[in-house]
Amino acid sequence: MKLLFATGPSINTRLLVAIIASVALLITEHRSHRLDALRATLSVAVDPIKYLVDLPTVVFEQAADSVSSYSTLKKENTRLREEQFIDKTRLLKFDSLEKENIRLRALLENSFKLGEQLLIAELLSINTAPYENIVVVNKGTRFGVHPQQPVLDANGVVGQVFRALPFSSEIMLITDPNHAIPVQVNRNGLLTIAVGSGQLNRLNLPFLPNNADIRPGDLLITSGLGGTFPSGYPVAVVDDFTPITNKPFVNITATPKAMLDRNRELLIVWSDSSPVSLGTTHEKAPVANPNGQPAGSELGRQEPERARTGTRPR
């Protein structure tokens, strides 16, 4: 039978024994290597406990570093993609500027226009109505978007803003049957209008006479007439066609340069139509009319209604 009140060494005696044992172990370890085997054996049992105690802290630090690195890389990747997207779009003008160098030199004697401002918008939905090519993006009036703004992608002109809402906008593609865009042949400057066909891979050129200087493979660019679309952006490439001698107009089609059926991101463009004087700094820049043409320009007064608006009424 166990005693209810068992007696044993006092706490002071236990402390003294522990101190003597510790001093003896320290002296033995300092003077010889007899305890190395015992230390190695004990570490096998102690190290897992030590790692287990440190595990939550290590896991938390690694998780925090991973999340921080992922967030940083994601933001950097998004920024670089946007910069590449904008830079690639701006490079689209170079081909047309090379062909129009002589005319631009004459224009630069008086004034030049500031570059466009761009806003990246993501695609939200596509209108599936027959013969309507309209998409919805996630930028609206709270970002300053307004109707008739041109919309581009990394390859060329996509369309223009058809309806601007606070949190989204509807984009009418250039292939919509109700859309028309003033264009010119990049090779020789021939002006015409490209009309949507209702198909994402085709534009119609119904207003060219049979003897027009246009060839398969010609690049069509925006002419800038009407002020809706900035000049110099690629629109389409002329398809193969056969001239018909007994008809005044030839049936010509073109393939859009923009990837209208594959875009996830689009560029909404703001054009600054205020010309800047090339003279001294105190000279006043000439006033531009709403169409982006200098005051007194015959071209701004005589342009056709369709070229002025960029679209045909529904």
Side-chain angles (χ1 to χ4, degrees):
M1 181 178 179
K2 294 183 178 180
L3 298 177
L4 294 177
F5 302 98
T7 60
S10 65
I11 189 170
N12 293 330
T13 304
R14 295 175 186 177
L15 179 59
L16 179 60
V17 172
I19 293 175
I20 294 173
S22 300
V23 172
L25 290 174
L26 289 173
I27 294 174
T28 303
E29 182 182 10
H30 181 69
R31 293 186 176 183
S32 67
H33 299 283
R34 295 177 182 179
L35 296 179
D36 289 347
L38 179 60
R39 179 189 293 276
T41 303
L42 293 176
S43 67
V44 175
V46 174
D47 286 347
I49 299 176
K50 181 179 66 175
Y51 293 143
L52 186 62
V53 172
D54 294 338
L55 182 61
T57 303
V58 174
V59 171
F60 177 78
E61 291 178 353
Q62 291 181 350
D65 291 341
S66 299
V67 172
S68 177
S69 300
Y70 175 77
S71 178
T72 302
L73 290 175
K74 187 176 180 180
K75 291 180 180 179
E76 184 178 2
N77 185 40
T78 302
R79 179 180 60 81
L80 292 176
R81 285 181 58 193
E82 292 180 355
E83 290 180 358
Q84 182 186 18
F85 192 33
I86 294 174
D87 292 340
K88 188 175 181 181
T89 304
R90 288 173 175 170
L91 288 175
L92 295 176
K93 282 191 169 183
F94 283 179
D95 187 28
S96 61
L97 291 177
E98 181 180 4
K99 299 294 180 64
E100 296 179 339
N101 187 39
I102 297 178
R103 282 180 289 174
L104 289 177
R105 286 179 181 273
L107 292 176
L108 288 175
E109 292 179 357
N110 298 321
S111 64
F112 68 95
K113 293 182 180 180
L114 299 176
E116 292 81 25
Q117 298 178 352
L118 305 175
L119 173 67
I120 295 179
E122 295 182 0
L123 189 68
L124 292 180
S125 63
I126 300 174
N127 192 342
T128 58
Y131 301 104
E132 282 191 2
N133 298 154
I134 295 177
V135 299
V136 181
V137 297
N138 66 342
K139 295 295 189 296
T141 54
R142 64 193 182 106
F143 290 93
V145 178
H146 57 82
Q148 293 191 351
Q149 272 191 275
V151 180
L152 314 173
D153 69 358
N155 299 290
V157 178
V158 171
Q160 64 176 297
V161 177
F162 172 66
R163 182 181 291 111
L165 303 175
F167 297 97
S168 63
S169 298
E170 296 182 7
I171 309 298
M172 179 183 290
L173 304 183
I174 57 175
T175 53
D176 190 283
N178 296 300
H179 190 275
I181 176 173
V183 297
Q184 68 180 104
V185 179
N186 189 49
R187 177 175 53 86
N188 55 16
L190 177 66
L191 298 174
T192 185
I193 296 176
V195 181
S197 66
Q199 303 177 10
L200 289 176
N201 60 347
R202 192 177 71 179
L203 291 173
N204 294 327
L205 305 176
F207 305 110
L208 284 175
N210 194 26
N211 59 351
D213 183 13
I214 188 169
R215 306 171 188 171
D218 278 344
L219 175 64
L220 302 178
I221 61 175
T222 52
S223 64
L225 296 178
T228 299
F229 294 91
S231 61
Y233 283 108
V235 177
V237 176
V238 178
D239 300 328
D240 292 333
F241 65 93
T242 302
I244 302 176
T245 56
N246 58 351
K247 291 185 178 181
F249 295 94
V250 61
N251 184 21
I252 301 177
T253 61
T255 301
K257 291 284 292 181
M259 308 299 290
L260 300 180
D261 57 345
R262 303 178 189 177
N263 286 318
R264 295 302 303 269
E265 295 176 336
L266 301 175
L267 286 177
I268 302 177
V269 181
W270 281 263
S271 296
D272 192 338
S273 60
S274 299
V276 178
S277 175
L278 289 180
T280 59
T281 56
H282 63 274
E283 291 182 357
K284 183 177 180 181
V287 179
N289 60 31
N291 293 325
Q293 301 293 338
S297 171
E298 292 295 325
L299 184 59
R301 294 197 298 265
Q302 297 179 359
E303 56 189 6
E305 180 66 16
R306 178 177 298 175
R308 184 180 65 82
T309 61
T311 58
R312 295 186 299 171
R314 284 182 173 274

